[in-house]
Amino acid sequence: MTKFVYSFGGKSAEGKADMKNLLGGKGANLAEMCHLGLPVPAGLTITTECCTAYYNNNCQLPDGLMKEVWAGIAKMEELMGMKYDDPQNPLLVSCRSGARISMPGMMDTVLNIGLSSKTIPGLLKRTNNPRFVYDSYRRLIMMYADVVMEKAEGIEPAEGKSIRKQLDDMLDAFKKQKGYKHDTDLNAEELQWLAEEFKKKVKEVLGAEFPDDAKEQLIGGIKAVFKSWNGKKAVSYRRIEGIPEDWGTAVNVQSMVFGNMGERSATGVAFTRDPATGDNRFYGEWLINAQGEDVVAGIRTPNPINDDTKNEKNRHMASMQELMPEIYDELFAIRGILEKNYRDMLDIEFTIQDGKLYMLQCRVGKRNGLAALVMASDMLREGLITEREAVMRLTPSQLDELLHPILDAKDEKLQRVIAKGLPAGPGGAVGVIALTPDAAKAYVAAGKSCILVREETNPEDVEGMRVSEGILTARGGMTSHAALVARGWGKCCIVGCEALDIDMEAGTVTIDDVVYKEGDVLSLNGTKGNVYAAAIKRSDPPANENPLFKEFMAIVSKYCDMGVRTNADNPQDTSNAIGFGAEGIGLFRIEHMFYGENSETPLEKLRSMILADGEAQRKAVLAELEPYIRKSVKATMKVLNGRPFTIRLMDPPLHEFVPKNEEGMREYAKEHNMDYAELYERIENMKQVNPMMGVRGVRLGIIYPEITEYQFRAVFTAMVESIKEGNTPHLEVMVPLTINVAELRHQKDIADRVKHEVEDKSGIHFDYKFGTMIEIPRAALVADKIAEVAEFFSFGTNDLTQMTFGFSRDDVNSIVGTYLDEKIIDADPFEIFDQECVGELVKIAIERGRRTRSNLHCGVCGEHGGDPKSVEFFYRNGMNYVSCSPFRVPIARLAIAQLAIKGVERKQL
Amino acid sequence: MTKFVYSFGGKSAEGKADMKNLLGGKGANLAEMCHLGLPVPAGLTITTECCTAYYNNNCQLPDGLMKEVWAGIAKMEELMGMKYDDPQNPLLVSCRSGARISMPGMMDTVLNIGLSSKTIPGLLKRTNNPRFVYDSYRRLIMMYADVVMEKAEGIEPAEGKSIRKQLDDMLDAFKKQKGYKHDTDLNAEELQWLAEEFKKKVKEVLGAEFPDDAKEQLIGGIKAVFKSWNGKKAVSYRRIEGIPEDWGTAVNVQSMVFGNMGERSATGVAFTRDPATGDNRFYGEWLINAQGEDVVAGIRTPNPINDDTKNEKNRHMASMQELMPEIYDELFAIRGILEKNYRDMLDIEFTIQDGKLYMLQCRVGKRNGLAALVMASDMLREGLITEREAVMRLTPSQLDELLHPILDAKDEKLQRVIAKGLPAGPGGAVGVIALTPDAAKAYVAAGKSCILVREETNPEDVEGMRVSEGILTARGGMTSHAALVARGWGKCCIVGCEALDIDMEAGTVTIDDVVYKEGDVLSLNGTKGNVYAAAIKRSDPPANENPLFKEFMAIVSKYCDMGVRTNADNPQDTSNAIGFGAEGIGLFRIEHMFYGENSETPLEKLRSMILADGEAQRKAVLAELEPYIRKSVKATMKVLNGRPFTIRLMDPPLHEFVPKNEEGMREYAKEHNMDYAELYERIENMKQVNPMMGVRGVRLGIIYPEITEYQFRAVFTAMVESIKEGNTPHLEVMVPLTINVAELRHQKDIADRVKHEVEDKSGIHFDYKFGTMIEIPRAALVADKIAEVAEFFSFGTNDLTQMTFGFSRDDVNSIVGTYLDEKIIDADPFEIFDQECVGELVKIAIERGRRTRSNLHCGVCGEHGGDPKSVEFFYRNGMNYVSCSPFRVPIARLAIAQLAIKGVERKQL
């Protein structure tokens, strides 16, 4: 029969730290501490397999389980010198959950199990502390009724009032009647009386007696913990964290020790290093004569455990180091043993019962990004961990945290979230509301930081976006204009915040009937998508100038074995990205160069090109645009200094560039000396019902070949000029939105012709690669044919996701929200790459493309290229590189290094 | 060495009729006629393989070819009793193209080859007809200079004036100078003089001498025919007809016989049966003392060959039957021999030279749909052909012709096409312009037929569309609203006619600066997409009531071995479709029932549902809509009488249903007693940038589950009511726009719940199938999982094409036009199914779906289901049925029967 119960205690245990899958994190670490010889109250762990068996068995405990449990209890009795359900010297136990990975507060716990009319007299006699006994008893009743009798039985609280709330209300009413302020004011008799009243209330409300039998109590506790694995909170937490449903939880049944048995008792929590700064100092808090939950719940302000933990607020409070120096020394020694054993920072819980120290828990401690960086660096220097381990110590999201100023977590907690949107640009921003780019510029000129709040942004807004601290839009998804531009700059940005109701005329933003005016302060948490109507403090400036960060990234580089390029459209972003470790440009969008700061004139020209009346006029405008493109490409070539440079031919979303309303059109017509009616008609003819699937990308270059021609002329001329100046550009040009090879041949003919012209004229011959985006499902399926012409592939996973799902990224917010709520999808496919289907198309395209051209170079230039989970897919499936916005470059590099260190298998390139 | 030359003549030949691939149609049939003992002027055929060799050999004739040709010429000389290039008795030859299938007028021909200063004296002596000799000579010079010396050499005409035109001008000038009207007015001396002048002009313009050498002439003629295979006209014809580039053409070198040698000479063309009516009578025209081109070119009005060919216009003209009864009898006998041998109606060309009949060509004759039907029926009855052959005798497009009134072809030819659009609904329509549905209704009420001309149509236009003869829109593609609705009714319709400039205020339509007013007459050819500004006669009414049609379809049914269902949304269309042989409904679009004639109220309610403010209001409107849906479904069930009935849950294109402009919104707000601003905002919130990829299909049913619930309630209630009334409906319900199985589970839960409710309430239990559309690429890829819940698949190939190509069907016209011109795609993928990629996704989906559910029923319900080429793909790849609009049902059934007869292989179902 499967072994379901693992005992621990007395410096030995049946489990150990690496048995987390079976014993849960808590159980495995308790066992490990026993092996290390640390003082752990004896106990037993019921395995996660038992939880699975319980659910497979229609929520019945498996046969034979309780026999194993009672055998384990017998071992505990021996080690603790007490007996469970014994009238003289009763052992009390706790019953706690423990999943493979920590799910703090998501599952249930019952303490003080074993108290009954049979055992209470013995405990009274042994402790000589009736107040403690009856306080423990009434706590048991409250917890048990709540967790075991109500929640685990699935009873819906009558009139929405849970039994827990009803018992709490009784306690409060009694205190009020007696004029008491604190629970501690109640004496033993009163607690005894209350316990009896509680039991009556339980019977009345739940229709069942509180069990007066210790054995029944334990069985109920075990079942309730299993049951809580599928409680609402736990299920929703698992969904968010991506924890599989079938992992199950272990149950830890452990001997109770009490920190609340008097002045020689205490309880506390500590971190082996400072989790906020990462500093190598022992950091913790404790409370004398208290139980663990008192420290956690914040009812009493806990004392510092040592001098290192003292700060301005708690400097006057007595530390454990001062009051119980021997025990502190023992704890400090344990800290050393644990860190040496676990080779990481640990979060520990301890209790002192009547002068004796007990370890109740240890686990790897949570930390913020900065602390993670500091600890990894320190531990590497201390020789505690290897370089490979150091690389594994920062999650990509911790690294991300380091790259942006963030809102102060404590200050943020004090504020109410007034609206939520999509977290399009991480970090924190604080400033006054500006509703137009001009207002934003005016505020900044006046020395005020501002948040640009828009329905959605478009290229005309770019100047205002650049000067703003943060950007907030009511519409658009993770790949909307605002999101793309903001991410490129590493700027805080929230998009698709549908609660916003912007009234431009009134100059107001209304959220839930509250009206905010231009000039009112907002704070944005761009990592979470939260909006606040207050000025929240910001934490330290980004750490990317931190030398530790640079050292860390240098180590990461040693292990990063897949290329990381950047999506950049101008020399400045390119330079940033190279600083972050980018190996070149994977996506240079020609039309994006018109979004920039100093681009007033060219943007206007681009618009004229789009609105041109016939080929001749279009060519005239293109001829004016060409030198501008050439200059920008050449400047970027200079910055790149020979690194790969992938330029995408224009894919301008036409509808974003033309005047939208009558006013704009009249103005344009006037400026360009045009007939309004004619302009109106031209724009009407250009309108598309579904612009995303309309005249875009290569379609534009086939309908108007001159657009392609002028781009190649600009790029190739930049190329020969750069070569003349001694540079050796590594140029790649790609065609967007391809559906078949004929499109590529058509465009390549133009490119070849222009190349000969430029070469003949300059006398300089050069090489470059002609490639294509793969971003339409059809292209993926005919990749073998496409590779006959395309010398490289770059996967546009945003568009590919759109077409594969039939989701318009502009409209998808309302759908994705409901789909996530209804568990129809696990994640927004524009955030996390859909490996199942979009992934299959990518795999098909790579495989077929390389069938034709065995050394075909493949990369990804959608925003997925900066998402660690997605990067893993690309890593496994034969991609040569990913390309992402500059601020995602370090994250992608870290993710890749970690995959390499984990030895993740890659498809042969 | 490969044999390149096949001789024929003297009642024997090296080729025969089934060698078309090698000898071309013309050559193979000339050989066949020799085998049949018919009088054919001796000749030789140079194979299509030689054409391929010529092109592979850098446009040089293969070595040894001319040796074979001269050997063939020697045989001809023997048979004809003349010698090529002989001063005494010269043989003249023609040099004609002949591809595998007829490409009339697309390639070049040279006649009278062999005339030179060496041979002319002999011919003069033998014929004693100098006028004939010099006329032949000047014709040779004109044709040779044009075809061999200019076109085949790729010489661009100077100042755009071809040599042909220049020589024609000389002829005209000479005639003018002499005061002649006809070419026949020129005498021998004048023609001789002209021939000399022509030769000078040729030298002057083309820089080369007209060759005075018979051998050189023949080599030039052969090369020119090969060259003309890649002439502009031929290439574009092949592209339209889908003829492969590499087939090549054969060259037929044949002894010249002359119908213009006097009154005992003549020439003519005939059909073995009447090609216009199909009647079994010999039908033909002839001209005495003329050459073939005179009959074809229509310079002289030809005479009837016999009494059967006489009509009111030519009754007075002498027939061959009357003037040359022996020769007519010989020809009539040949007609019988040919029909018996070919077992089909033939188109023949003959020449009578000096009282002797020669057969110059025979081929299977072209015919219209009605004639094809009549001939197939007659020949079957006559025992000439089998049932299987009869089924093969009508092309699907000929069948289509039978189902619609069409424009009279002759009358149509006299009119100028003023605009072209997409041929969305076949047939012909004539009527006055109506710019609004109301105007259309008014015209019809006043007894005038009308054409509804709209920018694009929407559900509100449906009443006006129904009463109109034809529909013409400026926007939209083959699957636009207008196209779908019109096809459902078999109504003539042209969409996407971009030349239209509609001014509603002025009540005018402008095309190329010509203004047409409401009330002006238009004619539409919906089969070709042509618009005319005239009232063109219409041919006979549709033949679907023709008993021959019914007999024919009954035979088709014996061989049709794949299901054909119909896309119908109301009892009337369903009834039509069943009459056409539909085996059930494959697509019943719930939202379409609101488009119908008597639907004023429900359409309004559907709109209210879409614009409802919150769940409660929406449910209230749904409750009002439900009985309407129920009634329509029940009535359709009655008509179907147990046949399969596949209902698709609503997929309303929201943007089509809500008021579009301020006026409409204000009206709606007023009618519904709403605040305009509120309505405006609700509509604004509903707006989608790319509605095709937005909130549609199942997404709607997940965001608003009540919409799904009420639909199931209506359908299931109709089901139990039908059962109560003794019907046994075969119900299938499907979910549109699915991307994964979770969506289906979500919707199925609702369906299951409603089913239990309806069953419990009625006491009637029933079965139905729950299935899904496969119309998003993602769904195809996870078809294995989707089949866990879906009990059947129906492929929505329109949407699948949109997403696979990234082509919005609403916007695609401008792209597809250019793409076809640039040869980037072979066909509009919304018309002809893209087998390569959309097809791959369909194959993947069927294969994966059946991996999960081996007997998974699969069908197609996009318009491709009625396209013969696409049907073949579905037939081969394991589809159980196709579903198409009622008027396409016979076409699909015929296409399938023909595939079955051809023995096309099908994937195991």
Side-chain angles (χ1 to χ4, degrees), chain B residues 825-839:
Chain B
I825 53 177
D826 295 330
D828 179 345
F830 293 103
E831 279 188 68
I832 311 274
F833 183 72
D834 171 50
Q835 303 190 6
E836 187 173 34
C837 293
V838 186

Side-chain angles (χ1 to χ4, degrees), chain B residues 353-474:
Chain B
Q353 177 177 295
D354 209 14
K356 178 163 169 39
L357 175 67
Y358 290 99
M359 298 302 297
L360 297 185
Q361 165 137 315
C362 86
R363 58 185 172 193
V364 171
K366 290 206 195 301
R367 62 206 75 179
N368 66 26
L370 179 64
L373 176 65
V374 170
M375 287 179 196
S377 303
D378 284 353
M379 289 186 185
L380 176 61
R381 206 170 26 247
E382 292 160 21
L384 206 57
I385 57 173
T386 64
E387 266 189 5
R388 289 167 164 262
E389 285 172 312
V391 170
M392 299 305 290
R393 283 291 161 88
L394 265 80
T395 63
S397 69
Q398 285 171 329
L399 192 65
D400 193 22
E401 226 178 81
L402 289 176
L403 299 172
H404 310 279
I406 55 173
L407 296 184
D408 181 83
K410 279 191 193 160
D411 204 21
E412 185 177 355
K413 266 190 197 153
L414 302 176
Q415 298 296 334
R416 193 175 64 85
V417 176
I418 59 164
K420 278 189 79 78
L422 297 174
V430 182
V432 299
I433 296 174
L435 293 176
T436 62
D438 286 340
K441 283 183 277 182
Y443 279 123
V444 172
K448 273 194 177 169
S449 65
C450 72
I451 307 284
L452 182 64
V453 182
R454 302 286 276 168
E455 196 66 36
E456 56 196 330
T457 65
N458 65 45
E460 290 171 48
D461 298 348
V462 168
E463 282 182 66
M465 293 166 78
R466 201 185 262 277
V467 299
S468 302
E469 281 284 297
I471 298 155
L472 173 63
T473 72

Side-chain angles (χ1 to χ4, degrees), chain B residues 7 12 51 206 260 356 418 460 540 565 746 774 824 904:
Chain B
S7 291
S12 84
C51 183
L206 301 176
N260 57 345
K356 178 163 169 39
I418 59 164
E460 290 171 48
D540 296 339
R565 299 188 185 178
H746 181 281
I774 302 286
I824 284 167
V904 164

Side-chain angles (χ1 to χ4, degrees), chain B residues 230-481:
Chain B
N230 269 348
K232 257 192 200 167
K233 276 192 298 182
V235 168
S236 109
Y237 183 85
R238 283 204 297 277
R239 186 163 74 78
I240 293 163
E241 298 289 318
I243 301 170
E245 303 277 329
D246 61 1
W247 276 7
T249 182
V251 180
N252 295 289
V253 177
Q254 194 174 16
S255 307
M256 287 293 299
V257 289
F258 298 94
N260 57 345
M261 283 181 74
E263 293 307 305
R264 292 186 61 226
S265 298
T267 193
V269 298
F271 294 87
T272 57
R273 301 189 184 207
D274 188 329
T277 63
D279 291 346
N280 185 1
R281 55 190 177 115
F282 192 31
Y283 182 96
E285 295 174 327
W286 76 315
L287 277 173
I288 290 181
N289 198 11
Q291 272 199 312
E293 54 182 343
D294 300 332
V295 181
V296 179
I299 297 173
R300 287 160 61 187
T301 304
N303 295 29
I305 54 164
N306 56 9
D307 290 346
D308 277 348
T309 309
K310 288 196 174 177
N311 58 29
E312 285 176 17
K313 281 189 185 163
N314 63 14
R315 194 171 299 285
H316 61 285
M317 297 169 88
S319 72
M320 187 175 167
Q321 201 173 11
E322 290 152 356
L323 294 186
M324 301 185 180
E326 291 88 8
I327 297 180
Y328 177 75
D329 288 347
E330 187 186 353
L331 187 65
F332 192 79
I334 287 173
R335 174 219 183 202
I337 294 167
L338 284 172
E339 271 215 350
K340 199 168 161 204
N341 183 65
Y342 281 95
R343 301 155 71 243
D344 204 346
M345 184 272 276
L346 297 163
D347 160 356
I348 60 180
E349 289 178 25
F350 59 89
T351 283
I352 301 161
Q353 177 177 295
D354 209 14
K356 178 163 169 39
L357 175 67
Y358 290 99
M359 298 302 297
L360 297 185
Q361 165 137 315
C362 86
R363 58 185 172 193
V364 171
K366 290 206 195 301
R367 62 206 75 179
N368 66 26
L370 179 64
L373 176 65
V374 170
M375 287 179 196
S377 303
D378 284 353
M379 289 186 185
L380 176 61
R381 206 170 26 247
E382 292 160 21
L384 206 57
I385 57 173
T386 64
E387 266 189 5
R388 289 167 164 262
E389 285 172 312
V391 170
M392 299 305 290
R393 283 291 161 88
L394 265 80
T395 63
S397 69
Q398 285 171 329
L399 192 65
D400 193 22
E401 226 178 81
L402 289 176
L403 299 172
H404 310 279
I406 55 173
L407 296 184
D408 181 83
K410 279 191 193 160
D411 204 21
E412 185 177 355
K413 266 190 197 153
L414 302 176
Q415 298 296 334
R416 193 175 64 85
V417 176
I418 59 164
K420 278 189 79 78
L422 297 174
V430 182
V432 299
I433 296 174
L435 293 176
T436 62
D438 286 340
K441 283 183 277 182
Y443 279 123
V444 172
K448 273 194 177 169
S449 65
C450 72
I451 307 284
L452 182 64
V453 182
R454 302 286 276 168
E455 196 66 36
E456 56 196 330
T457 65
N458 65 45
E460 290 171 48
D461 298 348
V462 168
E463 282 182 66
M465 293 166 78
R466 201 185 262 277
V467 299
S468 302
E469 281 284 297
I471 298 155
L472 173 63
T473 72
R475 292 199 177 206
M478 293 297 283
T479 51
S480 62
H481 177 260

